[in-house]
Structures are given as C-alpha cells and as structure tokens.
Amino acid sequence: MATADFRDQLQAALGSTYTLERELGRGGMATVFLAVDAKHKRRVALKVLHPDLAMALGPERFRREIELAAQLQHPHILSVHDSGETPTGLLWFTMPYVEGESLRDRLTRERQLPLEDALRIAGEAARALDYAHRHGVIHRDIKPENILLTKEGDTLVADFGIGRALGS
C-alpha cells in the first residue's frame, strides 16, 4: 500500500480522535506518526502495525508490545497512553511524543559522547532495563535507535516490540 493511501486510510479510521501530522519513522513492524490527541490537546507518537505484516504474522506480537509497554511505569521507559484497533483491523497505540533525538542520531552527529553524558545515558537506560527485568520483561532489542534523548537531557528506553515476558 502506498504511504499516502495508508496514511489516509488510518486517518479516516481514527476519525477526529487523533489527527496525523507527519510520519516520524518506519521500521520493520510499524510506522510511527506525530499526531494530535484531540481529547487531551497534546502531541503524541502514534505507532501502527504495517497491514501486510499483520496479515502475515497476525497481530499477537504487536498486542504483546502494547501490553508489555503499558505495564512498565518508570521515568526512563517510554509509556503507553492509549491503544486500539480500527474497524479495518489496523492496530495502533500512542506514546508521549519525545522532543529530542535517538542515541543513534546523536552518535551519528557527534561520533563520540562526552564521558559524563555517556555514563548518564548508560545509567538511566540500565535503571530502566533493571526495572523492566524486575517486572518480568526482557527488552531483547536494545540499540541506539531504541534509546531516546529528550531536549531536557533525559534518557527513555523505547520499543519493547520484541520484548518477552520472563517465563513465557
């Protein structure tokens, strides 16, 4: 499906609840849009599972991502605001929109971080992962693209898409 068609289909299905502004990123499983939550008058990141992948794999993996992320409430883990399924079967969820960049973007720009920044980022990400582990969740995909850096200097671990509950 063409990008404009997909976006139009998603916007029509979401109605006036969320207004899509622009695409923020695209990965193997999903596309993330910057959107406005009409009810709360806030900008959010809206992640939607690719329709072809949903048909091929089924929606269970994406639903698991939503469930895992929604259970984790920690200052350094990107939280879930809302989730749903459109009448046409598109699965989506919203997260806070993070003004900033990924650790990958910063490393690409700077090549090497100052020691104090590297230690802070590593420490905050480690505390987030420790919290997730203590709550029975393993991330399984930690990489610079999944570590977000806010403009205020905080670190957020994102994308528990292939996370796994311990014992499952």
Side-chain angles (χ1 to χ4, degrees):
M1 178 180 293
T3 303
D5 292 341
F6 176 66
R7 180 185 163 143
D8 292 344
Q9 177 188 2
L10 177 60
Q11 183 62 72
L14 293 169
S16 62
T17 306
Y18 293 98
T19 302
L20 302 177
E21 290 191 352
R22 64 182 166 89
E23 186 176 310
L24 293 173
R26 180 181 299 264
M29 282 184 58
T31 301
V32 180
F33 292 95
L34 175 60
V36 175
D37 174 348
K39 181 177 180 181
H40 299 104
K41 309 286 190 266
R42 63 183 170 192
R43 297 171 92 194
V44 297
L46 189 141
K47 185 172 188 175
V48 61
L49 181 66
H50 295 161
D52 53 338
L53 185 64
M55 289 182 0
L57 298 177
E60 294 78 22
R61 184 172 167 184
F62 194 75
R63 283 191 181 114
R64 185 176 70 236
E65 177 181 356
I66 295 167
E67 290 171 7
L68 290 175
Q71 293 172 20
L72 301 175
Q73 299 297 314
H74 186 273
H76 297 293
I77 294 177
L78 194 62
S79 61
V80 170
H81 282 321
D82 193 11
S83 65
E85 185 171 351
T86 69
T88 59
L90 293 175
L91 295 164
W92 57 270
F93 72 94
T94 62
M95 309 162 279
Y97 170 64
V98 176
E99 290 196 42
E101 64 186 341
S102 71
L103 178 56
R104 168 65 63 216
D105 292 340
R106 182 158 177 205
L107 288 171
T108 298
R109 190 179 69 252
E110 294 183 20
R111 295 196 176 240
Q112 184 172 353
L113 301 179
L115 181 59
E116 70 180 44
D117 288 356
L119 291 172
R120 180 187 47 75
I121 292 166
E124 290 175 358
R127 285 192 295 280
L129 295 171
D130 175 62
Y131 172 86
H133 190 258
R134 286 184 285 114
H135 287 81
V137 178
I138 300 173
H139 190 287
R140 292 177 40 173
D141 195 27
I142 285 297
K143 57 189 177 186
E145 292 82 358
N146 291 339
I147 297 175
L148 304 179
L149 307 173
T150 70
K151 285 186 174 182
E152 292 76 27
D154 293 316
T155 303
L156 294 168
V157 175
D159 201 356
F160 279 79
I162 61 171
R164 182 173 124 150
L166 293 174
S168 67

